[in-house]
């Protein structure tokens, strides 16, 4: 089920290990069932784009993957670590999984530099100089090294989101979760963020991306998943999705969004 | 940066407000008066009536201050009002503290704000007021000199810090940290200077000095208790949130006088110690309940994404609170906290009401209890009111300036 | 759907108890409860509770309570709790009057701060800055001192047509009292008239609502307010005479160095209420100003566009909307008035706090007295909140 676009280096997904395993995951908000028996496997280095109308449970699902939400039943295993009541596991998982939010959620009282180095210094106990060097390297990677000493409020939305990506990368995670990373951005800034994400995908990061950017999905994703009303309705390659979707709900959704 | 096309200077047409500013001052003044004072027939009538009332008030105040009042009740009793029972041979300790605090004010302004023309004017006026009080009797010259040195320290501290670069960087961080550290250490330092190594006994703190000690103790102590209290109330653990809520609501249920009643009659059995210490404890405990509510409000105002992001970068609950949530919540809660601080400042007068502690208002009562000053009660209380007003005004001014430079409300 | 092929999931691991989050949480709470229990236990044991009990409140008071109004209790045969309740009644009076006055004054000053008239705005600012930043205690005491020193001695009382008297013993004015009237009815009969008045007020309210509805339907002016007031006034007058004039005005008189009859506003009461009013109105003014300024600018412009006058704009458009933001903060100020009324102690006004102190002086039992005090304040606060929540619910019922 590998799809390789021309720009992608060959990533051997066939022999890769499953890094995320979800089995029969349920999540309730009071009487509302947000997730209904979600099961899936995601391999290391795989790029998965999650689609679905709002309220379909797609955000809830990826928030469950780093325990911002607790699932009510079923199992989630991240890189061999069980997501359960064990306090040690929780911390271990969070430093394996980076997350980028729709609203950036940068820390407004800290400079860009400190936003990025906070995690490495406080959680990984990295010395300040090393953390600063790492942060500069990441800022260069996302293309804004000159903004290091500014505060988030002084940056544009696109720049803020790129800082947020750098902040997540600073923890050197194995998996990156993106929760609608471009939805709060002005149109002219979307591309700069998507470019960074594309570069990240090429580098072999495992990524789960909730987005409405169909171009990104078509070009970068190895696999697409379609959520509706809390369940995983359909999954497959971009080719499968855009040329030959099977389920009625998927067709309807795609016809509305394309 | 907008590129302006090159133009002949004479042909530039200014925007309307700049155009108006070009007219002679008298015309502008007349226009201003027409707009702001005489904009309609009713407006004119209102202005005239207000002006008459204002004139009468000003006349009354001037008549009282310069003709009617006998200020000797203040000047003759200035040591009583200022420090009361504080040992006179230890006066230098008081002045050292005053100088230290003035220096801190200068450092704070220089680091986070700047002194405007109004601030300088205010300092000059307040100094005039202070010297007017000090310059009587035998030690007048010394007191005045001490005071001037303190003001000199204020400006020295300001002059040093205002020249330092404001741009973010290691130097700036160091400067901010050291001034903040001094501010935190200020209270213990002042208390040590006043009380330790042959200084006064706690019960000898009296008069204005007592107000100046009680309020910071109440504020600092209150803040220290308030932070865990606010977190406790917001906690998911029922036992913790329930007890913290009970604490806050019970303390806020009774007036401060009621709690001072507790300090006087009940706390004696529980913690013992000097009455003044018990009063300090009560003041801190009382303030904490109110401050905790302001912090809780700020915690609720903080977007939930902040703690989520903190967890997402791997911080644990405690780190997220300490590094992300609390710094922002405290910053949001600065305005109501300053209000609370001013409130405590005014409430330090209450220790006089049922406790045998003599702060400024209490010693004013002692001053007018002297036979020759019994007719001058109004003067004494007006003086007390003015002194409290000046300090409260300084507090609100400083907080406004610091708030402005911290960029509160601009996220 | 096909699930991606891959290795089977690892078996679910066993979590040792001490690493479970729930267990940790329970443990934390356990430790917390234990510490709290120790602290409470220490406080409990250090208090002298051998004579704890509220029986002492039923013993005869043997002290006097001043500033009574509508009560006449001498403290000789009455119990301490009775005297305390007299104090509560005195507190309530001061609090209610101060709430009413500070609201009126606060709204006035708050609106004046936003006046387009520069002088008025500056005066209002001066008012706020002065009264907000000086201690309430000093304000109360200063007013009291001025009343004592500034007002004439009772020997030189200012007499306004035998109706009003002003001296440093306070201000005396006529006051309605039950009267036998034409038919020599007993005192309680006045209640019938009061009941009649209430019934008529309700009826007038109904009439007003009816007329307003009709005005909305027909578009013809129906003068709802005038009708309501008129009906009530005429009804009140008629019922007054039909019931034989059960009320008469009691004019104050001076006997020796005391006022008798009428209603007397003693300087203690005046000072307390004036202090509370000045102080709190400065805060309310700021709240009102903030509430108005928080409104979108478009509201004023829209009101101007429909051609409302300044007063109409304020009362019909601005204030009703600003109330949403104002009421919660003002409620807080009312609660502050309640608690600050304890400053009565400083001017020797016999409110609940002062009477409680007297009882404690006579009988000890500080802990019990403190319980009584705090419960009373909380009850009054609760009542104030209840009323204000009702208002708030009415204001916010209409969603914008």
């Amino acid at each position: 089920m590998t799809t390789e676009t021309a720009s992608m280096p060959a990533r051997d997904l066939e022999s890769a290990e499953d890094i995320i395993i979800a089995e029969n995951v349920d999540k309730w908000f009071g009487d509302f069932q947000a997730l209904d028996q979600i099961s899936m496997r995601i391999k290391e280095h795989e790029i998965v784009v999650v689609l679905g109308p709002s309220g379909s449970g797609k955000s809830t699902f990826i928030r469950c993957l780093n325990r911002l939400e607790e699932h009510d039943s079923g199992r989630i295993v991240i890189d061999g670590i069980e997501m359960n009541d064990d306090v040690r596991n929780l911390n271990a998982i969070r430093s394996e999984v980076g997350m980028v939010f729709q609203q950036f959620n940068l820390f407004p009282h800290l400079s860009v530099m400190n936003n990025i180095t906070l995690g490495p210094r406080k959680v990984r106990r990295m010395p300040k100089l090393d953390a600063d060097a790492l942060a500069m390297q990441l800022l260069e990677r996302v293309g804004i090294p000159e903004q290091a000493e500014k505060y988030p409020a002084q940056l544009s939305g696109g720049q803020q989101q790129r800082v947020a990506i750098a902040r997540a990368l600073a923890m050197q995670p194995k998996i990156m979760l993106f929760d609608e990373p471009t939805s709060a951005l002005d149109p002219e800034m979307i591309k700069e963020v998507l470019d960074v994400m594309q570069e990240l995908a090429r580098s072999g990061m495992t990524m789960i991306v909730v987005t409405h950017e169909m171009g990104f999905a078509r070009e970068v994703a190895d696999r697409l998943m379609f959520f509706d009303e809390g369940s995983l309705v359909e999954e497959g390659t971009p080719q499968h999705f855009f040329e030959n979707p099977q389920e009625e709900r998927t067709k309807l959704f795609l016809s509305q969004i394309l | 940066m907008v590129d302006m096309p090159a133009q002949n200077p004479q042909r530039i047409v200014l925007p309307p407000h700049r155009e108006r500013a070009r007219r002679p001052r008298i015309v502008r003044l007349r226009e201003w008066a027409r707009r702001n004072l005489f904009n309609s027939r009713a407006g004119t009538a209102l202005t005239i009536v207000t002006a008459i009332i204002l004139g009468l008030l000003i006349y009354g105040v001037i008549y009282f201050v310069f003709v009617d009042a006998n200020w000797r009740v203040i000047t003759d009793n200035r040591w009583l009002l200022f420090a009361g029972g504080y040992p006179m041979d230890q006066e230098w300790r008081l002045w050292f503290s005053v100088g230290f605090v003035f220096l801190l004010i200068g450092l704070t302004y220089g680091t986070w704000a700047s002194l405007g023309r109004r601030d300088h004017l205010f300092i000059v006026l307040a100094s005039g007021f202070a010297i007017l009080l000090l310059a009587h009797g035998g030690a007048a010259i010394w007191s005045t000199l001490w005071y001037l040195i303190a003001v000199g320290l204020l400006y020295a501290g300001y002059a040093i810090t205002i020249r330092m670069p404001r741009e973010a960087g290691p130097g700036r961080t160091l400067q901010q940290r050291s001034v903040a550290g001094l501010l935190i250490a200020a209270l213990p330092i002042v208390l040590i200077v006043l009380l330790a190594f042959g200084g006064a006994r706690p019960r000898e703190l009296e008069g204005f000095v007592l107000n100046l000690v009680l309020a910071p103790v109440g504020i600092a102590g209150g803040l220290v208790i308030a932070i865990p209290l606010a977190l406790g109330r917001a906690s998911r653990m029922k036992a913790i949130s329930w007890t913290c809520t009970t604490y806050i609501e019970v303390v806020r249920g009774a007036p401060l006088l009621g709690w001072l009643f507790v300090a006087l009659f009940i706390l004696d059995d529980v913690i013992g110690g000097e009455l003044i210490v018990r009063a300090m404890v009560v003041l801190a405990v009382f303030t904490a309940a109110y401050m905790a509510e302001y912090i809780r409000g700020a915690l609720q105002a903080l977007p939930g994404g902040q703690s989520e992001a903190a967890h997402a970068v791997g911080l644990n609950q405690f780190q997220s609170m300490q590094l992300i949530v609390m710094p922002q919540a405290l910053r949001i809660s600065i305005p109501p906290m300053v209000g609370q601080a001013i409130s405590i400042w005014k409430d330090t007068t209450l220790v006089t009401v049922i406790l045998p502690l003599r702060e400024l208002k209490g010693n004013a009562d002692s001053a007018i209890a002297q036979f020759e000053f019994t007719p001058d009660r109004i003067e004494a209380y007006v003086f007390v009111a003015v002194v409290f007003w000046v300090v409260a005004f300084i507090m609100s001014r400083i907080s406004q300036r610091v708030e402005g430079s911290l960029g509160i409300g601009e996220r | 759907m096909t699930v991606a092929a891959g290795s089977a999931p690892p078996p679910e691991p066993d979590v040792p108890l001490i690493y479970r989050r729930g267990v940790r949480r329970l443990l934390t709470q356990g430790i917390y409860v234990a510490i709290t229990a120790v602290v409470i236990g220490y406080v409990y044991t250090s208090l002298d509770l051998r004579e704890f009990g509220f029986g002492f409140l039923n013993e005869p008071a043997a002290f006097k309570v001043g500033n009574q109004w509508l009560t006449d209790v001498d403290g000789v045969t009455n119990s301490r709790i009775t005297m305390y309740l007299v104090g509560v009644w005195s507190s309530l009076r001061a609090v209610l009057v101060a709430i009413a006055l500070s609201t009126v004054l606060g709204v006035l000053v708050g609106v004046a701060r936003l006046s387009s008239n520069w002088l008025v705005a500056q005066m209002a600012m001066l008012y706020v800055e002065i009264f907000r930043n000086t201690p309430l205690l000093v304000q109360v005491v200063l007013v009291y001192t001025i009343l004592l020193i500034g007002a004439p001695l009772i020997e030189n009382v200012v007499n306004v047509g035998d109706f009003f008297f002003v001296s440093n013993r306070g201000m005396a004015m006529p006051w309605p009292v039950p009267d036998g009237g034409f038919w020599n009815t007993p005192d309680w009969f006045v209640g019938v008239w009061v009941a009649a008045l209430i019934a008529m007020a309700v009826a007038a309210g109904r009439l007003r609502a009816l007329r307003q509805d009709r005005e909305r339907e027909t578009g013809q002016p129906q003068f709802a307010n005038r009708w309501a007031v008129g009906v009530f006034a005429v009804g009140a007058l008629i019922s007054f005479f039909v019931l034989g004039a059960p009320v008469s005005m009691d004019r104050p008189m001076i006997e020796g160095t005391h006022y008798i009859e009428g209603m007397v506003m003693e300087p203690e009461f005046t000072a307390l209420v004036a202090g509370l009013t000045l102080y709190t109105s400065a805060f309310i003014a700021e709240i009102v100003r903030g509430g108005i300024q928080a409104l979108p600018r478009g509201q004023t412009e829209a009101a101007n566009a429909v051609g409302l006058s300044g007063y109409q704009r304020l009362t019909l458009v601005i204030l009703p909307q600003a109330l949403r933001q104002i009421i919660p903060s003002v409620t807080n100020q009312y609660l502050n008035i309640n608690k600050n009324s304890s400053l009565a102690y400083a001017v020797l006004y016999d409110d609940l706090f002062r009477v409680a102190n007297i009882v404690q002086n006579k009988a000890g039992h500080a802990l019990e007295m403190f319980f009584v005090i705090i419960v009373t304040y909380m009850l009054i606060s609760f009542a104030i909140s209840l009323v204000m929540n009702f208002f708030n619910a009415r204001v916010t019922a209409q969603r914008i």
Side-chain angles (χ1 to χ4, degrees):
Chain A
M1 58 180 307
T2 50
T3 24
E4 285 175 24
T5 52
S7 59
M8 290 267 181
R11 290 169 301 139
D12 185 11
L13 289 179
E14 288 295 345
S15 62
E17 292 287 311
D18 287 334
I19 195 166
I20 299 176
I21 301 169
E23 286 203 331
N24 307 329
V25 173
D26 280 337
K27 170 73 189 167
W28 294 79
F29 290 116
D31 286 337
F32 174 72
Q33 186 163 19
L35 294 178
D36 185 2
Q37 293 289 308
I38 305 290
S39 296
M40 64 168 66
R41 302 284 179 101
I42 293 172
K43 286 173 181 292
E44 201 163 2
H45 310 306
E46 197 175 356
I47 315 294
V48 175
V49 166
V50 181
L51 303 173
S54 61
S56 59
K58 54 192 197 306
S59 281
T60 307
F61 178 68
I62 73 165
R63 285 162 62 82
C64 281
L65 294 183
N66 72 344
R67 250 274 149 130
L68 289 180
E69 306 285 358
E70 277 176 47
H71 59 285
D72 292 317
S73 64
R75 286 179 70 191
I76 298 177
V77 182
I78 309 267
D79 197 20
I81 309 169
E82 184 83 18
M83 179 94 67
N84 56 13
D85 235 8
D86 194 328
V87 283
R88 295 168 303 176
N89 289 0
L90 178 62
N91 292 339
I93 285 174
R94 278 192 176 147
S95 43
E96 297 248 325
V97 182
M99 179 143 185
V100 175
F101 299 88
Q102 180 178 2
Q103 299 293 342
F104 329 139
N105 292 348
L106 292 179
F107 307 129
H109 62 301
L110 299 177
S111 68
V112 165
M113 198 64 166
N114 285 334
N115 260 283
I116 299 173
T117 58
L118 190 70
R121 283 170 57 196
K122 297 295 171 182
V123 182
R124 297 233 190 271
R125 303 275 159 215
M126 194 184 273
K128 183 171 163 33
L129 283 180
D130 296 356
D132 286 356
L134 173 68
M136 275 321 287
Q137 194 191 323
L138 288 169
L139 280 174
E140 260 159 46
R141 187 166 171 194
V142 300
I144 40 173
E146 71 284 358
Q147 311 287 3
E149 291 305 327
K150 289 202 177 153
Y151 282 82
Q154 297 167 298
L155 304 183
S156 74
Q159 289 171 328
Q160 288 195 42
Q161 194 59 298
R162 285 191 276 164
V163 172
I165 294 173
R167 177 177 70 180
L169 289 176
M171 288 299 287
Q172 289 154 338
K174 289 192 175 162
I175 303 165
M176 284 283 280
L177 308 174
F178 292 84
D179 189 1
E180 306 204 20
T182 54
S183 300
L185 294 175
D186 292 335
E188 71 272 17
M189 294 171 183
I190 290 178
K191 188 174 177 307
E192 62 187 59
V193 172
L194 289 181
D195 284 349
V196 169
M197 288 167 61
Q198 199 155 1
E199 186 271 331
L200 195 60
R202 243 177 265 137
S203 75
M205 177 68 72
T206 314
M207 289 166 64
I208 305 179
V209 184
V210 173
T211 188
H212 295 298
E213 293 295 326
M214 288 304 139
F216 181 84
R218 197 190 298 257
E219 222 171 294
V220 184
D222 297 312
R223 191 147 52 114
L224 264 55
M225 294 183 180
F226 176 67
F227 274 62
D228 195 23
E229 291 176 350
S231 31
L232 177 52
V233 177
E234 186 165 3
E235 63 177 313
T237 63
Q239 233 171 346
H240 161 85
F241 251 80
F242 291 114
E243 284 158 22
N244 191 19
Q246 297 298 309
E247 302 282 326
E248 277 312 308
R249 283 191 279 180
T250 318
K251 287 178 194 163
L252 182 67
F253 175 75
L254 288 171
S255 72
Q256 284 166 348
I257 205 160
L258 287 174
Chain B
M1 297 297 115
V2 181
D3 287 299
M4 294 291 275
Q7 261 185 353
N8 188 345
Q10 277 97 13
R11 302 179 80 190
I12 291 176
V13 177
L14 293 171
H17 67 279
R18 299 273 302 279
E19 201 61 44
R20 275 198 296 275
R22 277 179 173 180
R23 282 185 247 166
R25 177 173 286 244
I26 183 73
V27 176
R28 271 186 286 150
L29 204 64
R30 212 182 301 154
E31 260 187 15
W32 178 88
R34 192 173 304 145
R35 241 193 342 260
N36 295 305
L37 294 176
F38 309 107
N39 51 6
S40 64
R41 199 169 292 171
T44 309
L46 195 60
T47 303
I48 293 172
V49 171
T50 318
I52 291 173
I53 296 173
L54 189 63
L56 286 174
L57 276 176
I58 292 175
Y59 171 78
V61 169
I62 289 178
Y63 184 80
F64 173 76
V65 171
F66 293 103
V67 184
D68 202 23
N70 173 19
W71 294 113
R72 276 193 43 229
V73 62
I74 306 301
T75 52
D76 284 11
N77 291 301
R78 62 179 207 281
W79 179 263
L80 174 71
L81 294 172
F82 178 53
Y86 198 88
M88 275 184 113
D89 53 346
Q90 301 292 323
E91 190 184 354
W92 66 270
R93 292 169 184 271
L94 296 175
W95 286 113
F96 183 91
S97 307
V98 171
F100 180 61
V101 170
F102 273 39
L103 177 70
L104 272 182
I105 294 177
L107 290 174
T108 307
Y109 258 68
T111 305
W112 286 290
S114 61
L115 292 170
R117 206 194 301 167
R118 279 186 172 191
D119 299 304
H120 291 297
L121 183 71
F122 182 78
I123 292 173
V124 170
L125 284 178
S127 298
F129 179 62
I131 290 170
L132 209 65
L133 289 172
L134 295 168
H136 292 273
I141 299 172
W142 284 112
S143 312
T144 312
L145 199 65
W146 283 117
Y147 180 81
L148 288 178
I149 291 173
V151 176
L153 281 171
L154 193 160
Y155 274 104
Y158 179 69
I160 294 168
T161 43
I162 197 75
R163 282 187 175 72
M164 294 185 177
R166 289 268 173 114
E167 292 80 51
R172 173 72 179 162
T173 313
L174 183 68
Q175 182 194 351
Q176 287 179 333
R177 287 208 179 143
S178 16
V179 175
L182 265 182
L183 282 172
I184 293 170
L187 183 59
I189 291 176
V190 167
L191 285 179
I192 288 169
V193 169
L194 288 179
L195 300 174
F197 309 118
R201 283 169 298 166
R203 74 180 62 143
E204 288 174 331
L205 292 174
E206 265 192 36
F208 192 46
V209 171
L210 180 54
N211 298 105
L212 289 175
V213 168
L214 281 180
V217 168
I219 294 163
L223 194 59
V224 169
I225 307 174
I227 293 174
L229 210 52
L231 291 177
R233 186 165 187 176
S235 167
R236 255 176 297 175
M237 303 190 209
K238 283 273 152 47
I240 295 179
S241 81
W242 191 81
T243 39
C244 290
T245 308
T246 311
Y247 173 103
I248 291 171
E249 294 306 331
V250 167
V251 168
R252 281 153 44 99
L256 180 54
L257 274 185
W259 291 108
L260 290 171
F261 175 96
V262 172
L264 186 61
F265 295 116
I266 300 171
L267 270 191
D268 193 17
D269 295 337
V270 181
I271 57 173
E274 290 213 40
L275 178 59
I276 188 167
V277 178
R278 277 180 269 146
M280 286 175 178
V281 169
V282 160
L283 218 49
V285 160
F286 181 80
T287 312
Y290 289 81
M291 286 186 163
E293 281 299 270
Y294 294 131
I295 297 175
R296 189 173 70 108
L299 287 176
Q300 285 171 347
L302 210 63
Q306 286 296 312
S307 61
E308 283 186 359
H311 289 312
V313 298
L315 300 182
N316 61 33
Q317 185 73 26
F318 179 78
Q319 288 171 321
S320 150
M321 271 297 156
Q322 176 212 350
L323 300 166
I324 305 300
V325 176
M326 260 304 149
Q328 295 186 59
L330 287 181
R331 223 174 270 202
I332 296 175
S333 60
I334 283 182
M337 291 289 227
V338 171
Q340 186 59 33
I342 294 177
S343 172
I344 281 300
W345 165 245
K346 293 177 291 184
D347 281 349
T348 54
T349 50
L350 297 190
V351 300
T352 301
V353 177
I354 61 169
L355 306 187
L357 294 176
R358 307 268 119 210
E359 46 67 68
L360 178 58
K361 191 261 170 189
N363 274 356
D365 291 339
S366 315
I368 54 184
Q370 303 162 61
F371 181 70
E372 55 171 320
F373 295 124
T374 39
D376 305 325
R377 283 180 281 178
I378 294 179
E379 286 87 329
Y381 292 135
V382 166
F383 171 77
V384 174
V386 169
V387 169
F388 273 97
W389 183 87
V390 168
V391 177
F393 185 76
I394 293 174
M395 286 167 81
S396 63
R397 269 311 270 182
I398 293 180
S399 82
Q400 276 171 20
R401 302 304 294 272
V402 174
E403 261 167 50
S405 73
L406 284 178
I408 288 160
E410 304 157 27
R411 287 180 47 89
Chain C
M1 284 292 90
T2 57
V3 168
S7 53
E12 227 171 314
D14 252 355
V15 185
L17 270 181
I18 52 157
Y19 288 118
R20 286 187 191 231
R21 201 144 53 129
V23 175
R24 289 254 172 127
R25 233 173 237 177
L26 224 60
L27 219 61
T28 319
Q29 293 192 70
I31 295 170
Y32 174 83
V33 169
I35 294 174
T36 316
V38 168
V39 171
I40 292 177
Y42 170 73
V43 171
Y44 184 80
T45 49
S46 55
L47 291 171
D48 187 6
L49 295 171
R50 274 167 304 178
E51 292 179 7
F52 189 88
F54 291 88
F56 71 98
L57 284 172
N58 291 323
E59 285 165 33
F63 61 84
K64 285 188 173 169
V65 166
N67 313 100
Q68 295 192 32
W69 185 59
L70 300 186
T71 53
D72 188 15
V73 180
D74 61 7
V76 178
T77 53
N78 312 98
S79 65
R80 288 170 177 150
I81 191 76
T82 311
M83 305 314 271
Y84 179 74
L85 289 176
V86 171
V88 173
W89 168 225
S90 296
S91 289
L92 280 177
R93 250 151 48 215
V95 167
L96 288 178
V97 177
I99 283 180
L101 292 180
S102 59
T103 308
V104 173
L105 201 56
V107 171
L108 273 178
V109 175
V111 170
R113 276 211 64 174
L114 296 170
S115 165
S116 60
N117 189 309
W118 182 82
L119 203 57
V120 172
Q122 294 297 308
M123 282 278 278
M125 194 188 74
L126 197 67
Y127 178 92
V128 170
E129 289 296 333
I130 288 177
F131 290 109
R132 202 173 50 154
N133 284 338
T134 43
L136 174 58
L137 170 68
V138 179
Q139 291 183 30
V140 171
V141 170
L142 194 54
V143 173
Y144 187 54
T145 313
I146 291 173
L147 288 177
L148 289 189
I149 294 183
L153 297 175
I154 193 143
E155 288 81 6
N156 314 322
V157 69
V158 178
N159 182 342
V160 185
D162 272 353
F163 277 101
F164 291 95
F165 297 90
V166 179
S167 78
N168 67 0
R169 299 232 170 208
M171 195 166 74
M173 62 189 92
W175 189 255
V177 288
D179 188 295
F182 309 150
W183 302 311
N184 223 348
T185 46
D187 278 358
W188 59 260
F189 192 70
V190 72
V192 177
W193 187 53
V194 172
L197 285 184
I198 292 171
M200 273 177 298
V202 172
R206 292 288 309 154
L207 179 71
R208 176 167 170 271
L210 268 173
R211 294 224 146 227
Q212 275 175 339
D213 283 348
R214 200 184 302 164
E215 180 164 329
R216 229 166 280 136
E217 281 158 21
T218 62
Q220 302 292 316
Q222 296 289 335
F223 309 108
N225 286 336
R226 283 179 219 182
W227 268 96
V229 172
V231 163
F232 179 76
V234 170
L237 219 61
I238 292 175
S239 60
F240 180 75
F241 287 111
V242 167
L243 295 176
V247 169
S248 68
M249 291 305 266
D250 194 7
R251 280 201 300 190
M253 282 175 284
I254 293 176
E255 198 178 71
T257 56
H258 291 277
Y259 292 118
I260 53 168
E261 319 262 301
M263 197 198 36
V264 183
M265 285 219 332
E266 284 141 335
E268 295 83 27
F269 178 83
T270 315
L272 179 65
V273 169
L276 287 172
T277 302
L278 292 172
Y279 185 76
T280 314
S281 62
F283 285 91
I284 293 182
E286 283 300 276
I287 293 167
V288 169
R289 181 181 69 112
I292 293 177
Q293 276 179 335
L295 291 181
R297 191 177 289 268
Q299 290 297 324
T300 317
E301 283 160 8
N304 279 337
V306 242
L308 296 179
S309 75
Y311 178 74
Q312 288 172 324
R313 194 170 68 214
L314 192 68
T315 52
L316 296 178
V317 180
I318 307 293
L319 279 182
Q321 295 188 58
L323 273 185
R324 287 166 177 271
Q325 196 177 340
I326 288 173
I327 287 185
S329 310
V330 164
T331 305
N332 252 336
Q333 292 302 322
Y334 290 173
L335 300 182
N336 283 346
I337 290 185
N338 170 34
K339 287 179 269 176
N340 285 337
S341 70
S342 57
L343 279 171
Y345 192 95
V347 289
L348 311 184
Y349 177 71
D350 285 326
D351 75 327
L352 72 94
F353 186 67
R354 198 170 130 77
V355 176
N357 266 277
I358 298 172
V359 172
Q360 196 274 332
N361 265 337
K362 296 256 174 201
H365 293 283
L367 194 59
E368 293 89 327
M369 267 339 278
F370 181 69
F371 275 135
V372 173
I373 293 170
I374 189 170
V375 167
T376 316
Y377 278 115
M378 280 182 154
L379 283 177
I380 301 175
S381 288
F382 182 66
I384 293 173
S385 309
L386 221 56
V387 173
M388 293 309 286
N389 285 346
F390 171 73
F391 273 118
N392 200 25
R394 284 199 56 175
V395 168
T396 48
Q398 199 104 67
R399 299 187 63 199
I400 297 180

